[in-house]
Every structure is written in structure tokens, then in C-alpha cells.
Amino acid sequence: MTSAAERIHDLLMELVRVVGMHQLDRAVPGHAVSLAQVFALHELDSGTSMSQRDLAERLRLEKSTVSRLVADLERKGLVERERDPENRRLYRLRISSAGRAVHAGMRTSQHPPFARWVGALTPGERDALLTGLTALVRVVRADFET
């Protein structure tokens, strides 16, 4: 018999496959961005600049990984990186107008299907999904923070 943990894991993996999230070239049509870069653009599109260290903490990635990720986004013209005037050892990151357009394109292309899928759920299923996913994110986040 399959445990609940195994079944949830299988379902999450299947969701990633069905939605096509594992196909990086489908993340943003016309833009070759990795899933980590998609998350970085999302974090940077908050309206304020942040340090690479802040971005690394938000993404839960090593500083060296974020440095390479940001360098690639900068080469693509999606992120601007400049020295922090108050601490020359740090870089401040800001999403570029091109990066903002890519992020907006992701939201525009990805939101309608999710709205359609969620709309097809019964109110009880929607409530259960919101409760369950919220709880799962909470316990996973707490596990990583310890």
C-alpha cells in the first residue's frame, strides 16, 4: 500500500510534468530561462533592489549559485547589477524593464490556465487544496529553517 507521503510526492511530480514546468523552454515562450531564473525574476519584481545575499536567502540557494544565475540574467538583459554605494563589497540587483516584461509575460501566460483549473474544482476541493498546500508549504519551510 502506498503511503500518503508517497502519493502526495507522486501527485506533485505529476503536476509538474502535466503543466510542463520541467520543460524550461516553455516557462516563458521565446526566452530561455531556467526555473531558478524565473523565481529570481519573481523576487526581483518587487519594486526595490536587493543584494545578492538577500536573493540567495529568498531562493534558498548558495551565494555562488546566485552569482552565476544573476550573471546569466544580466547577460540576457533581464537584471541590472550595480555596486551598493554604501557598501562597495555588495551588489544591488534590480530587475530591468526587459526582465519586468518577461515576468509579466509569464504571469499573463500562466495565470489563465490555473484560473481555469481552479475554477473547475468544487468549492470544497478548492478549500481543501488551499488548506493542504498552505500547510505543506508551512511545514516544509519550517523544516528548511531548522
Side-chain angles (χ1 to χ4, degrees), residues 39 57 62 137:
F39 282 108
E57 288 174 7
E62 296 293 323
V137 168

Side-chain angles (χ1 to χ4, degrees), residues 7 23 40 43 47 55-56 111 118 129 133 139 146:
R7 186 70 183 126
Q23 299 173 8
E43 290 296 331
L55 183 60
H111 182 73
V118 170
L129 184 60
L133 285 177
V139 298
T146 58

Side-chain angles (χ1 to χ4, degrees), residues 35-52 54-61 66 69 73 79 93-95 99-100 103 106-107 141:
L35 199 50
Q37 290 171 339
V38 168
F39 282 108
L41 290 174
H42 181 76
E43 290 296 331
L44 291 168
D45 201 4
S46 64
T48 60
S49 66
M50 69 178 69
S51 71
Q52 286 186 189
D54 292 339
L55 183 60
E57 288 174 7
R58 287 184 183 198
L59 297 176
R60 299 188 196 296
L61 294 172
V66 170
L69 182 145
L73 286 171
V79 167
L93 307 173
R94 187 178 343 274
I95 192 168
R100 190 164 278 112
H103 186 234
M106 286 187 303
R107 288 189 122 147
R141 182 175 286 134

Side-chain angles (χ1 to χ4, degrees), residues 103-118:
H103 186 234
M106 286 187 303
R107 288 189 122 147
T108 300
S109 67
Q110 293 178 352
H111 182 73
F114 277 94
R116 189 171 58 252
W117 302 329
V118 170

Side-chain angles (χ1 to χ4, degrees), residues 25-33:
D25 61 337
R26 288 184 61 190
V28 184
H31 298 277
V33 292

Side-chain angles (χ1 to χ4, degrees), residues 115-122 125-126:
R116 189 171 58 252
W117 302 329
V118 170
L121 298 173
T122 67
E125 289 170 330
R126 236 184 338 269

